[in-house]
Amino acid sequence: MGAKENYPANTSREASINSSNRCTGRDELSVWDGGDLKSGVVASTCSYTWAMPGVKNDLREADVRFNTHDYDVTNKPTSSCSNKYDIRSVGTHEAGHVFGLGHVGSGHSNLTMYTNSFTCKTIARTLGKGDVLALRSIYEEEHNEPVGANHASVSRGSHDDAGCGLHIREQQ
């Protein structure tokens, strides 16, 4: 299973996500940026797909906004880290939404797609088994449902994602 990215240049455009965490429309440009979101939300994703009958939906655009208005981020949490979110953990979680993954709930705080984020933690930088199983269920042509595949929820709709937000949670 692979993913491709294309980074053509810097842009002055902003992610099409407003301060109420609402997707504000498609502009055919995928942008990841920092800005204001509702308090309690660390980051939010809006992704748009085209329905493809008989095959997987085709991703056309995805915008991600990190809430840099209310929260601090770091790339290197240290033992003295306090109230900062690991940018790579949050980014990996939001990329999961871009690729069609939904949130998982209680009992799965070890997975990247867990609903909440924890300050100063890097566990979500890499995918857990449930995250990988969910991606495989979306992108592999033929697969057998392995035991535990239901540990991750998957968004499969052909509609536009109304915005998936990563919420804050006290450190465990």
Side-chain angles (χ1 to χ4, degrees):
M1 176 175 11
K4 295 187 322 186
E5 54 79 27
N6 183 12
Y7 178 75
N10 291 330
T11 182
S12 59
R13 308 268 298 266
E14 294 186 4
S16 298
I17 305 171
N18 67 22
S19 61
S20 297
N21 300 6
R22 298 277 182 219
C23 304
T24 58
R26 295 171 39 191
D27 59 7
E28 300 190 23
L29 184 66
S30 294
V31 176
W32 291 52
D33 72 4
D36 191 16
L37 293 171
K38 273 194 229 178
S39 182
V41 176
V42 178
S44 189
T45 296
C46 294
S47 58
Y48 303 92
T49 60
W50 286 358
M52 305 284 288
V55 296
K56 298 169 203 63
N57 291 337
D58 190 17
L59 179 66
R60 292 298 174 178
E61 177 185 338
D63 289 342
V64 175
R65 172 156 291 162
F66 296 90
N67 187 351
T68 55
H69 183 264
D70 297 315
Y71 304 104
D72 292 326
V73 295
T74 181
N75 188 39
K76 295 183 180 182
T78 64
S79 59
S80 62
C81 179
S82 176
N83 295 318
K84 291 185 179 183
Y85 290 90
D86 177 48
I87 189 89
R88 292 195 282 169
S89 291
V90 174
T92 302
H93 175 96
E94 295 306 316
H97 289 310
V98 169
F99 288 106
L101 296 180
H103 288 138
V104 296
S106 75
H108 302 290
S109 61
N110 60 316
L111 296 178
T112 299
M113 296 312 298
Y114 186 62
T115 303
N116 299 316
S117 184
F118 303 102
T119 57
C120 304
K121 297 288 184 182
T122 60
I123 190 169
R125 286 183 176 187
T126 58
L127 300 177
K129 182 178 179 181
D131 300 312
V132 173
L133 292 172
L135 283 169
R136 285 182 178 161
S137 76
I138 296 171
Y139 292 102
E140 285 186 351
E141 294 299 324
E142 295 179 21
H143 65 281
N144 296 320
E145 286 295 324
V147 174
N150 60 349
H151 286 193
S153 65
V154 180
S155 301
R156 292 180 184 235
S158 61
H159 60 283
D160 295 345
D161 186 343
C164 296
L166 180 60
H167 302 275
I168 62 170
R169 183 171 175 115
E170 294 302 316
Q171 193 168 338
Q172 287 186 338

